[in-house]
Amino acid sequence: MSRVAVAGAGYVGLTTAACLADLGNEVVAVDIDQDRIKMLRRHRLPIYEPGLREVVERNARAGRLSFTTCYEEAVPGADYAFIAVATPEGAEGAADLSYVEAAARSVAENMNGPLVVVNKSTVPIGTGDFVSRVLAKHAGEHRFDVVSNPEFLREGSALADFMQPDRVVIGAHRREAADLVAKLYEPLNAPILLTTMYTAEMIKYASNSFLATRISFINEMARICERVDADVKVVSEGMGLDRRIGSLFLEAGIGYGGSCFPKDVKALAATAKEYGYHPELLRAVMDINQDQQRLVIEKLKDCLGSLRGQVVGLLGLAFKPNTDDLREAPSLEIARGLLAKGATVRAYDPAAMVRAKRLLPDVNYRRDAYQVARGADAIAVITEWNEFKLLDLPRVRRSMRRPVVVDGRNIYDPVQMRDLGFVYRGIGRN
Ligand SMILES: NC(=O)c1ccc[n+]([C@@H]2O[C@H](COP(=O)([O-])OP(=O)(O)OC[C@H]3O[C@@H](n4cnc5c(N)ncnc54)[C@H](O)[C@@H]3O)[C@@H](O)[C@H]2O)c1
């Protein structure tokens, strides 16, 4: 059993804290957001993440997991301090490290013995050294190590991703420090890759950039498919059956969003530029993604003519299913674009409406997909939640004023949709 402090109780920090407690460690999660901590103390989750509430409650009741806004309650006596705070996009696409810096400083000011500081936030190469400098300045005589341990979990399946990871990456300047962090992960029986600090930091950016590249690649194929009358969904299936390629992250749609891919590709491109390298491929990945998000509006215009006065319904708002996260969600651009063009926009999302109401106050929110469709001139599928795949489509068709469906995630069958009387537009399939 080890004593662990986790700074930041968001998607990554909270999952890390709950899972490390579930493995038998004594964990204190510290967050500067008082409301968040208040909720967590009542075993209520500030985020939507399937299954996480039960793990939080179980471990909190067992006394292994607690929550605080005070570093004084979290850090003294800890063996490890994880930093899992946000690293949003900063100036010129580079990562904003101010939250990491503040967390590192608070850790340093409250440590009272040797400590392994583990950087879980996604940070530019060299940030481990930056954290070391912050610690050195504020930690007095206390010994510390800084270890990079990037996180690969996905929102929506965070628990399983943490508990059964494809790999755990641990990078440090000192092997002994990396070994100490590896000990925490031993119960998972997962492959552990021990490497240098810079390589570990780079693995995270390279992985996310590669996944984003696959998405932009298949979206480019979709553009070509539309022109040559091929079906990108079948093209993707045919490619994915090749074991060298695989089928994941090969679905054409309205582009990637979320709190990671957009900012991480940008941040890696910014790092490359800083070191005098022009990242040609990363630039293309970002450009294709931006164009892709405009497609929904283009296709709606194509079907409806002018958008002024038209009622457009959005199915889904979160950047992907099984999360309430709206950071860099394509829905934001699309809804704002439609409103700017004079359309009336209504929407439904199973998890993201509370957050959406703050960001998109001019959208009308409905309680389900059928309410969105009723009397609408068009609906657009923005997020591929399972419940949209199972809709009673004849009922949807009957209730719409005009039967236009723009399927930004290719969840419906074009032939069936046409047979049902819809004017249907997918992505990369005619
Ligand atoms: N969300 C993901 O799917 C995911 C996956 C892998 C890696 N990451 C990376 O993990 C990091 C965290 O992402 P997230 O999605 O969990 O962010 P988040 O915004 O959900 O959570 C960050 C939390 O940190 C808190 N915080 C800010 N400053 C603090 C401070 N000084 N001390 C204590 N708490 C502080 C915030 O209040 C917030 O609760 C980012 O670098 C991100 O790129 C995210």
Side-chain angles (χ1 to χ4, degrees), residues 28 38 86 110 123 249 259 374 391:
V28 185
K38 258 191 226 154
N110 289 284
V123 289
F249 285 82
S259 64
R374 209 162 76 181
L391 286 183

Side-chain angles (χ1 to χ4, degrees), residues 6-15 30-34 36 46-47 49 68-69 71 83-88 98-104 106 119-123 150-156 158 204-205 208 258-261 263-264 319-320 325 327 355:
V6 178
Y11 293 92
V12 168
L14 187 56
T15 306
V30 52
D31 199 295
I32 52 172
D33 182 335
Q34 296 198 355
R36 197 159 267 233
I47 53 169
E49 185 57 50
T68 180
T69 51
Y71 275 83
I83 296 180
V85 297
T87 47
S98 56
Y99 301 98
V100 170
E101 182 176 5
S106 303
N119 205 355
K120 223 177 206 337
S121 296
T122 302
V123 289
E151 181 52 57
F152 299 95
L153 65 76
R154 295 160 297 175
E155 288 171 25
K204 176 63 191 174
Y205 276 118
N208 273 4
S259 64
C260 292
F261 289 179
K263 78 169 172 62
D264 292 348
F319 84 93
K320 66 173 185 179
D325 199 342
R327 288 177 283 184
R355 285 176 196 264

